[in-house]
Amino acid sequence: MQPQSSPAPAMSTVRVVRNLVVLLVALAFVAAACGSDDEEASNVATSECGTDSSFDEATEPVTDLSVAIVAPSASQDLAFTQSMVDAVAALGIEPQITDGTFQVEAAAEAIRGYADSGVDVVIAHGTQFGGSLAEIAPDFPETSFVWGTSSETQGLDNVFAYTPAADQGGYVMGTVAAAISESGTIGMVGPIDAGDAALYVDGFVAGAESAGANVNVSFTGSFGDVPLATEAATAHVGAGADVLTGTAQHVVGAINVASANDIPWFGTQANQESLAPELVVASQVYHWEVVLADIFDQVEAGTLGGEVYELTLENNGLVIEFNGCYELAEDVKNGALETIDGIIDGSISTGA
Amino acid sequence: MSDFFTLSVLVATFASGVRLATPYLLAGLGETVGQRSGVLNLGVDGVMLLSAFGAYWTSLETGSLLLGVGAGLLVGLVMGVVYGIITVIFQAEQGISGIGIYLFGLGFSDLLFEEMVGTPTPIKSLPKYSIPGLSRLPILGEALFEHNLMTYAAFLLVPLVALLLMKTTFGMNVRAVGENPEAADSLGVSVGLTRFAAIMVGNGMAGLAGAALTLGLGIFQPNLTQGLGFIAVALVYFGAWRARGVMLGALLYGIVAAVVLQLKARELIPLEASDLAAMAPAVLTIVALVVVAGRIEAPAALTNPFSRH
Amino acid sequence: MIRRALGAVVPVGAALVAFLFGAIMIVALGANPIDGLVAMLDGAFGTRERLATTAVRATPLLLVGVGICVAFRAKVINIGGEGQIVIGALASTAVALAVPGTPKVLLLPMVIVAGMVGGGFWGAIPGALKAYASVNEILSTIMLNLVAVQVMNYLLRGPMIDPLEVEGSRIPQTERLTDNAALPTLLSGTRLHLGVVIGITAAVAAYVLLWRTPLGFRLRAVGHNPNAARASGISVERSIVTAMAISGSLSGLAGVVLVFGSESLRMVTDGSAAGFTSAAGFNGIVAALFGALHPLWTIPSAFLFGGLLTGANNLQRVLQIPSPLAVALNGIVVVFVVSSGRVRTWIEQRIRQPVDDRGASAPVAGGGG
């Protein structure tokens, strides 16, 4: 009576095989739809209501360089990692990806492994990978490493660094949020008070306050705790918030609260329209491709690093993507455009 | 602070705590049944993740919440068969096999999600259902009687599990094999079958907990539970292997978390201290147990595999 | 003889069956399982550098696992490794931040001691709660893991944050710590550092402690039969606290190795414990049980699980197999191996039934509770 195997993994396997078909079909659709933006670059965009704006038609790759991405969360997290994966795809490049590796040692292994296997450009998409990069980059002088978010290259001449000025888009959206809030109270659900989440929060609060609204900020203490983010958003609504925003992967829960209460939502990092098609007013999207295109040009010309790029509204790396399905008053939108101009020309300070 | 101590806020906080408590309660009740039979399942979190994915995917594909709940239950039961085979037939060490189940559930649910769904896509969440009459009650009405059906089910299961354990033959057998399997065996109770059945009940409820979590939220993402199942196991110890105790533990944990969130939403907790406030549910759970600690012993045969010599 | 051979063959066979399931999953994901196996073995053991990396990844598992062995001998289940690693790392990092100018010969022992004291303290709390307040250690360690994470988040974005980050990207991390506290590399061109030696030393020390010292005797006596131990004059309460403190201090040491053996040489949080520990607090338990809860057997066991981590990393890189597969596979390996003890006794019974009926002993991985 010795069972040869336990049934669960076997059953699961059957499930996998069966669903692989579903998956392949889905992938085919995605592959067909994936591509880049051939509109002229701009720091503002408005999606056409009723269309899926996240996938545009494919273009020829901008470069023959081989590219690998090492990133901390899942490739389709609708947030930090996805912003980079989408950006590389937008340039028509198919990268090799190691995702879900927040832990620095595991990421370092992957970075070293890609460099060792001859990849031309290794994108280390996480500030926390910097220390390892300082050890790895000198070992591979022929490889270009692209690292962020960081505002320094650590003096390494084969490392490019990038950082988003997340406070800029936060400020713009804060002013818009204040304009559409009737109660004058806005709820913000954040993870922990650090990183680009903190920059976004600071910018958003400054923008909203400049327009006379108050932002209640709650940090849940976690990036992934969806139930907590959901209840945090519910608490904001109970405290009178009639506009919500938030950062990090766990906001998917908060967005559902916005949906349930018919409350406008502002997103950041990636376009979050798909989560609440009627209620996402705008998303601040990181368009790393602006930076990457320039970096790839440099690498092809033989310069492997040494420069720091900042995503800003000015260089169109930060794009305020308005949702065409949300009817935003024309004067409010124009006000946002003016705020953008003000931030670019320096007449408005985001306070961060 | 005066902002906080208004009736409506307190009621909203309590209702929020009840919602947060629901998955802990369902999983904790199931774990209670399993542990009473002498089987520790540290893999609850993994079972919840798998069943949450099953429930989410089914609802996403079919649009039916009921089928989603059914799928969650089914996945839980399948994992119950697996865990029964591991711990009853193969008599594996329970702590470690639970961790194995957890790792499997964590990885496999993530893998399935990435391959079959990819991007977190909202689904219709479980609707709130006001209980006619009772929901009109002042204060209590909103706090207790305006929830989704899974929340009602969880609280309804508290007396049912207590009755099952204390008043039925099956329950007596479960307690007997958990306390003294040799004696139970000599009285003709099948230790293996009883434990297997208790494991099925426990895992089935963990499956419901996973379904309640994902369908209550209307979303799934990798590692949705964030260790929730481990806390549910801890609450079984808090509740001293009694359904009512587990309920009190789950409510304490959920309500403290809800209070912290309400205070934060009203800017009554300085941002600098937000992490310190976030540890409040865990700290208070320990403190509460120290203060009220009765010397209630665990089921004597907990984690001991049984084989007839 | 047969018995000893079976003890090795059966778990290995179980692991092979588990990998067969892994292979099926790899096929389902559209890759060639042979390529997958090659990629895993190559990634884990293929080159000198990779062997060294595997040893480095194994060290936290080894240290936590050895701590599990010690606690288990006193019949305490320590699932608080995650929190103890975090607190140990924070304590040692605080020392390195406070006195960075201290010469290496002094600073390195100081951070090690600080980490052990920090982890030991975090382990002693549930020990004391169990001994003196009857709070079950599973409850308290799970809760204390949650508390430790928030302590880490608070310190790394507040008091211990890199001053450059306050005005910059606000990443919750310390500044790069002084090289005076870095664990020296032992083999140039590889990642092999002193932490690996520390891990092996700790395993040997735990063995000596448990079986060659009066303290070890007391711990084992309490684990074997607390009432008899008490009757012979041993303080059961103190022994439980001691066992948990030792177990915690070894996890704390794992935290030291994670910080001061890392290439980044700083501590950073993603808001979760696993982001810093890679779940070593749990995987260490698995390594210990795979090593039959014996400190010395935990050494090769941890090395194998370290290989699973590095091998899976390569698997994802080479074949683009999603990383969650490795986590799932890890779980399947654990389940199969831990279930194999019974198979072994069945086989033994079949072989020896006429002669000896004692075959139905405890499973290979050791009985619980």
Side-chain angles (χ1 to χ4, degrees), chain C residues 279-350:
Chain C
F282 286 117
N283 289 329
I285 302 176
V286 173
L289 283 146
F290 199 63
L293 288 161
H294 191 292
L296 297 181
W297 280 112
T298 304
I299 299 173
S301 165
F303 187 72
L304 283 177
F305 278 96
L308 201 55
L309 294 176
T310 48
N313 200 305
N314 199 48
L315 185 66
Q316 185 182 15
R317 204 163 55 235
V318 175
L319 295 178
Q320 297 284 298
I321 301 286
S323 56
L325 177 83
V327 181
L329 192 57
N330 203 340
I332 296 176
V333 170
V334 170
V335 165
F336 273 80
V337 170
V338 77
S339 299
S340 69
R342 183 67 182 164
V343 176
R344 179 185 149 194
T345 48
W346 280 334
I347 298 173
E348 276 174 7
Q349 278 171 338
R350 186 151 299 185

Side-chain angles (χ1 to χ4, degrees), chain B residues 163-206:
Chain B
L163 281 174
L164 177 79
L165 284 173
M166 306 313 290
K167 302 287 180 201
T168 65
T169 316
F170 172 69
M172 285 194 292
N173 288 348
V174 165
R175 285 183 290 131
V177 302
E179 288 296 335
N180 192 341
E182 287 78 18
D185 182 58
S186 68
L187 293 171
V189 176
S190 167
V191 177
L193 271 182
T194 306
R195 284 188 170 173
F196 210 112
I199 289 168
M200 294 298 288
V201 173
N203 278 264
M205 290 175 73

Side-chain angles (χ1 to χ4, degrees), chain B residues 4-19 135 137-147 255 258 262 266:
Chain B
F4 181 71
F5 285 107
T6 62
L7 199 56
S8 65
V9 174
L10 290 176
V11 166
T13 307
F14 192 78
S16 166
V18 168
R19 285 193 297 272
S135 62
L137 286 176
I139 307 172
L140 283 180
E142 189 192 334
L144 291 179
F145 300 111
E146 286 192 22
H147 289 291
I255 289 172
Q262 288 285 355
R266 288 172 169 73

